Amino acid sequence: MSALLSMRGLLVPALLLLGAEVLVNAADLSSNNIAPPSAAFAALLRIMLDGTLFVSTGQTLLATAMGLAVGGSLGLVAGILLGLSRTASRLMTVSLEFFRPVPAVALIPISMLVFGFGYAMEVAVVAFAAFWPMLIYCKGAIEAVEPQLLEVAQMLRLSYFDTVRKIVLPAALPRIFVALRTATGIALILGVTTEILSNPQGLGFAVMSAQQSLHPDNMIANIFWLGVLGVVVNSGLLWLQSRLFGNAGRPGGGR
Amino acid sequence: MSQSAVATSQAAPEICFDGVDLSLGGLEILKGIDLEIRRGEFICVIGPSGCGKTTMLRLIAGFHRATAGAVMHEGRAVNGPSPDIAIVFQDYGKALLPWRNAADNVALALEAMRVPKSQRADMITGFLGKVGLADHAQKFPSQMSGGMQQRLQIARALAQNPSVLLMDEPFGALDAMTRQTLQDECLNLVENMGTTVFFVTHDIEEAIYLGDRVVTLSPNPGRIADIHTVNLPRPRNQLTTREDPEFLRLRRVLFDFIQGH
Ligand SMILES: Nc1ncnc2c1ncn2[C@@H]1O[C@H](COP(=O)(O)OP(=O)(O)O)[C@@H](O)[C@H]1O
Ligand SMILES: [Mg+2]
């Protein structure tokens, strides 16, 4: 974070913004399609002050969190079970490899049939999108548990249940958290995508409707805000990760 | 102890390799191993890298099953790992639970042994005290030096109340000063508790200094080349023991053996 916010790090974005400002003004591009940064910032201030930005932010975050909760927890459980049982993992490989490459956006039409337009559909798509990274990474987290620790469990003759509870899960937890971070990023992307395509709410819809009602300044302001939101969510999770796990939070850095 | 109990306990060696062959993945690793280890004996094993020292230790631990012959513990075939045979692993960084502090790492063994919760705290303090970690109970492994982590592994092993202690190059990664201190502490502990020790090392002097007998292994496939009895008085002393003519003689013999490979 500190590197990102350092003066030198801000130089390039500042120059790009300045360039855009000059270019848009000089070329006198049609204001129906594009807006200079200054207008976008004015629009950002406007939608902040009238509160619409925060309403749509809340809608996007809530739908994403719901989807993440549903799909993420299903993926967590499935990933842990598959990581624990080699037999289950072998039985499921073909089915998983068939479904996994299906992009979550491709499910939007199906979800629309099942859930109609709106909230439930967005949650379903986000859940599907969050399920896969959670499953794959959690399975990997379990499989990556230090074999020596499993031998300690064997030496102590821990029961299967105690081995999972006292050794495997705590050892896998830092990587499981990384899985959560990855799934959160993907969930946010799919939430906004769904809003752009077919759920009239949230930041995605705000971007879309601003573009369609010929308010490019408003559109750019919302897009910029999405970027800010992504950075805030990810650094929040990174902060939490280092608080919870310290050095052990970095995969491979268990020492 | 009654007369007959003494007789039976002396009849069965603590550990016995009886014509043991071991192949792993089609490869012959150990061949024709015969070795009897008495109760309370300190056995050291040396040999060139890859000759099968760790594999031999893992056979006693129950992680490998002999392809031919049998490994016996107190007269019964070893058929899997058990807390009665404790292991101090070579790589302490991978054998301790990084999310548990020192006290809770020792507690793991007590939990496994089903020691009632009310008794654990005192026992943990006792075991940590024995290895000189009394003041570090709340430290996590990542906050400890290599020597301290190895002490913690020993404390956990002691908490298993084992009859046999298997140690795989436990001090190999430590600096010379720490190593000597730990050697003496280790000798004191196992002597007081009467534990049988199977100690793998690549350090000739360490093997002589610690052991009642030193087993030399030859490679490809691993087999016992020789067994040397160490006729040095106990308690051993870092200065006088290492200057003893018998120590120097053995050092010469073992050095020649290692050079030959
Ligand atoms: N699980 C295994 N499968 C196949 N070969 C193994 C296995 N474990 C060890 N070996 C081989 O057995 C030999 C002896 O290994 P090891 O007992 O670790 O030697 P040392 O501890 O004396 O250095 C080595 O050649 C090693 O590659
Ligand atoms: Mg070895």
Side-chain angles (χ1 to χ4, degrees):
Chain A
M1 266 316 268
S2 60
L4 191 69
L5 291 180
S6 76
M7 286 316 215
R8 216 178 298 180
L10 287 176
L11 188 65
V12 172
L15 282 178
L16 283 176
L17 282 176
L18 193 68
E21 184 77 32
V22 171
L23 197 71
V24 172
N25 282 321
D28 197 18
L29 293 167
S30 160
S31 63
N32 285 345
N33 297 323
I34 197 97
S38 55
F41 275 112
L44 183 65
L45 269 184
R46 209 164 50 238
I47 55 178
M48 273 181 167
L49 290 177
D50 72 10
T52 49
L53 181 69
F54 301 113
V55 172
S56 30
T57 303
Q59 289 169 337
T60 296
L61 287 182
L62 187 66
T64 303
M66 293 284 288
L68 186 63
V70 174
S73 47
L74 287 176
L76 174 79
V77 172
I80 289 174
L81 291 179
L82 291 184
L84 287 174
S85 162
R86 229 180 257 177
T87 319
S89 171
R90 231 178 281 128
L91 282 174
M92 294 302 294
T93 304
V94 174
S95 327
L96 292 180
E97 287 310 310
F98 180 76
F99 278 109
R100 191 163 67 99
V102 176
V105 262
L107 250 72
I108 294 180
I110 303 178
S111 312
M112 268 158 62
L113 284 178
V114 179
F115 299 103
F117 285 85
Y119 196 70
M121 190 223 36
E122 182 175 347
V123 171
V125 172
V126 170
F128 180 82
F131 176 77
W132 296 107
M134 207 62 188
L135 180 146
I136 306 286
Y137 285 102
C138 287
K139 178 170 175 277
I142 300 290
E143 288 166 350
V145 170
E146 175 55 49
Q148 191 96 97
L149 287 181
L150 299 179
E151 291 190 343
V152 170
Q154 280 181 279
M155 164 180 79
L156 293 172
R157 282 214 186 131
L158 291 185
S159 65
Y160 179 76
F161 181 68
D162 275 350
T163 303
V164 172
R165 190 166 62 100
K166 294 184 176 179
I167 308 279
V168 176
L169 287 183
L173 205 56
R175 281 168 193 266
I176 290 177
F177 196 88
V178 175
L180 176 69
R181 246 180 57 215
T182 311
T184 304
I186 292 173
L188 203 54
I189 291 171
L190 260 293
V192 174
T193 309
T194 314
E195 289 165 359
I196 288 178
L197 291 179
S198 51
N199 182 19
Q201 65 138 31
L203 287 167
F205 179 69
V207 169
M208 199 58 196
S209 62
Q211 186 252 332
Q212 285 173 347
S213 60
L214 308 180
H215 286 117
D217 52 346
N218 198 332
M219 176 187 76
I220 294 172
N222 274 292
I223 291 176
F224 172 77
W225 182 250
L226 273 171
V228 171
L229 202 62
V231 170
V232 168
V233 167
N234 191 48
S235 24
L237 287 173
L238 274 175
W239 174 82
L240 195 61
Q241 178 179 326
S242 67
R243 275 302 297 272
L244 288 175
F245 307 117
N247 281 340
R250 277 182 245 121
R255 289 287 177 92
Chain B
M1 210 186 278
S2 74
Q3 207 66 38
S4 64
V6 172
T8 47
S9 72
Q10 277 168 354
E14 185 69 42
I15 298 289
C16 173
F17 285 78
D18 184 9
V20 171
D21 296 349
L22 179 72
S23 301
L24 291 173
L27 218 72
E28 203 168 44
I29 309 288
L30 292 173
K31 177 102 186 126
I33 303 285
D34 285 303
L35 178 67
E36 287 195 356
I37 304 175
R38 292 187 309 275
R39 195 148 306 180
E41 192 176 14
F42 202 121
I43 285 275
C44 292
V45 180
I46 64 164
S49 178
C51 70
K53 305 183 292 293
T54 297
T55 307
M56 211 172 149
L57 180 143
R58 290 173 64 82
L59 267 167
I60 305 176
F63 288 128
H64 293 314
R65 201 65 63 87
T67 314
V71 179
M72 319 282 280
H73 173 224
E74 292 175 354
R76 281 188 304 269
V78 173
N79 62 357
S82 127
D84 193 32
I85 301 180
I87 308 164
V88 173
F89 292 94
Q90 181 169 9
D91 191 346
Y92 43 77
K94 290 178 177 168
L96 295 166
L97 313 190
W99 60 89
R100 286 189 179 215
N101 63 23
D104 291 341
N105 263 286
V106 176
L108 181 73
L110 299 178
E111 293 161 20
M113 308 287 290
R114 311 209 171 281
V115 173
K117 214 171 198 159
S118 55
Q119 299 173 20
R120 284 183 208 156
D122 286 343
M123 294 176 72
I124 291 169
T125 311
F127 288 122
L128 287 177
K130 278 188 179 158
V131 298
L133 287 180
D135 295 336
H136 305 281
Q138 301 306 317
K139 284 209 175 114
F140 287 86
S142 59
Q143 299 168 316
M144 303 173 122
S145 68
M148 288 163 78
Q149 293 186 51
Q150 209 52 301
R151 285 190 165 97
L152 181 53
Q153 257 212 95
I154 294 172
R156 180 180 68 192
L158 295 180
Q160 294 173 224
N161 190 26
S163 60
V164 179
L165 188 57
L166 308 177
M167 305 180 88
D168 193 357
E169 303 191 21
F171 311 142
L174 308 177
D175 62 88
M177 286 298 289
T178 313
R179 187 184 312 183
Q180 292 200 350
T181 317
L182 274 172
Q183 285 167 353
D184 289 331
E185 289 178 11
C186 178
L187 281 180
N188 265 326
L189 283 173
V190 298
E191 217 154 306
N192 289 336
M193 304 182 80
T195 317
T196 308
V197 184
F198 185 91
F199 190 105
V200 171
T201 176
H202 58 246
D203 179 343
I204 291 172
E205 298 199 15
E206 181 171 71
I208 307 167
Y209 184 75
L210 295 173
D212 294 313
R213 286 188 292 163
V214 178
V215 175
T216 51
L217 282 191
S218 313
N220 303 320
R223 64 225 118 89
I224 293 181
D226 226 330
I227 301 177
H228 303 270
T229 302
V230 182
N231 287 315
L232 288 167
R234 291 190 189 270
R236 306 270 162 91
N237 176 290
Q238 292 288 356
L239 274 181
T240 55
T241 300
R242 287 173 191 272
E243 286 167 351
D244 196 295
E246 169 70 358
F247 185 96
L248 299 175
R249 182 190 69 80
L250 269 172
R251 192 178 70 164
R252 182 62 195 251
V253 171
L254 294 175
F255 188 80
D256 286 344
F257 167 79
I258 293 289
Q259 286 296 296
H261 285 283

